[in-house]
Amino acid sequence: QKAEALMIRKKWREAYQVLENLRQTYPTNVDVLTHLVNVCLELNDIPGYTQACERLLKVDPRNSDAAYGLAGGYLSCMHPLLALQAFHHALDRFPNHEKAKEARTFVAELEANMEEELKGMGLAGEEGRAIALLHEQGQAYLERGAYAQARQVEEEVLRLKPDFMSAFNNLCLIHYAEGDMDGAIAIAQQVLEQQPDNIHALSNLVRFYYLKGEREQAQQYGERLKTSQTEGWDRWTKKVEGLSYLGDDAGILEIYEQAKDADDLNITSALFHHLVAVAMERSGQSKQAKEAWKRALKRSPGFNLAQANLDDLQQPVGQRHAPWAFSLNSWINQNDVEELLAIIKSNTNADDEKLAQATQDYLNDKPYVARLIPVLLDRGDPVGREFAVRLAGFVNTPETLAALRDFALSQSGPDALRHQAAIKASEAGLLPSETIRMWLQGEWREISLIAYEFYDEPPHKHPRKVQNWLRDALSLLRQRNVKAAEQAEKLLKQALDVEPDAPDLLNNLAAAYEVQGRSEESQALVRQIVDQYPDYVYARASLAKLNILNGDLEAAEALLKPLLSCKRFHVDDFGVFSSAYIQLLMAKHQPDAAKAWLHMWEQVNPAQPELLYWQTQLKSPDMLKTLSKLFKGT
């Protein structure tokens, strides 16, 4: 019932967790397995969907939808022999199913070139086909993270055909997934001894050496990968995959042109088109990139990486992460991530210094993780970038802080994350705190990098009767008429008899004078408050605004500049200060700086009424330009 309620609310990830827990307890429950099939489909988790169909069909062999779903899942995961086997099974058992006609078409297309493909792999005949089918099963286990089963299957493949290099390539991926990087490299090298131009082994070595931090070695294998002419299963994908780890966008686009010239684009995978799209987007070819992502989704409608990039590009420019080629678990081994999480968890109650030292010890033991921080900041997915920013800022080494500085000054990732990185770099002295040039909302802007702490507890505590008089006085002042202001004055003076040194009471008394037309008295009282209580923001901002109106920008800046150095603000005080500071920046003809400050204010207290005035003042010109273009278009 809980899972079904989550499904109704379209909380698919939460529903999946509930159902997966149930499945482990009740592995043969048809309802649980049926829901898992549907939830995995909603999550676009095609390997998970395929596995759920397998489990459901094993428990309920008469389930025709699961039979055809299993075949479609294998097809989407690029396992043609498993797909063929599943389609044949579905058609034999359920020949009149609504998907039967479509299935027969797929079978015909798959069978048309299968023997030729198998012959090219050295697996001709029935025995070769059986070995290839077993190998695909190993690949399916590998994709699901069932490494023990994948290893067992691939070792059986090698028992049957000891020279089958594809099984060795999968074994090296299994070693990598289990955290044995050296073992993975050794197997890939073993493949190259037999086949020096094996594209899969070359691509895997590019990845392993790059992730290990041995970039020169990775680059050398990348050059060999680009020039390799060896035929192989999904060779174009393996080429661009290796080059994607190197960040070689030009090389990827060159491989794309080669595949196009060879008239092979129709047989390339969804991953191939996704990685090409990333290279295109990074090279400024946004229109072509979107078309490539759409091709990827046409080949595999549930392909998360392509869909996530397209969805991200729909966001406002200052909130985008796209493009990214891989998710975090492709850059950092799951075992390494779990080890780091265990360190953090075991030091939860320790002080920051002890936790930072434990994390630094971890990075000293695994220096390749630290070397990946700049890469994740530049090319990581949303989770990867967040991970890198947090890890870099927490460890605080010169190298990680330099990575944060470079990220802050780049055009990669969302504005808010780069701003966070910039503040950390500024606190470390790697960036000036007053003004820097940053890429914000799709353009270069001058902004201030001052980090503030905010609180919302009442800034002034008064006795109950004083609080009541103040509340009533504020209500009267909002009426903005002389009679009400006179009543407010009486209440405020009563309050001041009890608390003569309360700056907020004095400031509201000055406001009461102003409403009554007693401007000189009001201004004199505000100056008195600033002299007596230099940290009281309201009076300082009010006097600064008066100086701006009188054209004395120097005096206004002298009043406001000390507040820039404050480290802690009440959220309302920050709004009052921001309003005055933006007014000063506009008077000094610095609209970009004013917009940047407005952006920071919006993050702090988006509900503050005075914010709306400045949003209108600073953003309306852009709005008018947009409307003008629209009207011209009609």
Side-chain angles (χ1 to χ4, degrees), residues 104-122:
R104 291 186 182 95
T105 302
F106 282 132
V107 167
E109 290 176 354
L110 289 168
E111 290 284 13
N113 299 310
M114 187 57 66
E115 287 306 318
E116 197 65 32
E117 291 285 349
L118 290 172
K119 193 181 293 184
M121 295 166 66

Side-chain angles (χ1 to χ4, degrees), residues 340 344 352-353 355-364 369-370 373 387-401 404 424:
L340 178 59
I344 293 170
D352 288 349
E353 189 175 338
L355 181 53
Q357 185 57 54
T359 310
Q360 182 60 60
D361 291 342
Y362 165 86
L363 291 178
N364 290 339
V369 174
I373 287 174
F387 172 83
V389 168
R390 289 177 182 275
L391 187 60
F394 188 70
V395 177
N396 259 357
T397 64
E399 294 79 13
T400 61
L401 289 168
L404 288 178
K424 192 72 182 176

Side-chain angles (χ1 to χ4, degrees), residues 49-81:
Y49 166 80
T50 308
Q51 186 175 28
C53 286
E54 273 182 8
R55 286 169 170 159
L56 178 56
L57 200 57
K58 188 175 180 181
V59 173
D60 182 13
R62 293 176 297 180
N63 192 314
S64 58
D65 290 336
Y68 281 92
L70 176 61
Y74 281 139
L75 192 62
S76 294
C77 291
M78 300 288 291
H79 299 314
L81 284 168

Side-chain angles (χ1 to χ4, degrees), residues 168-192:
F168 281 111
N169 285 326
N170 274 358
L171 276 177
C172 88
L173 291 174
I174 293 166
H175 275 272
Y176 166 73
E178 292 177 335
D180 182 9
M181 183 78 82
D182 290 336
I185 289 173
I187 293 175
Q189 294 283 18
Q190 186 181 342
V191 172
L192 288 186

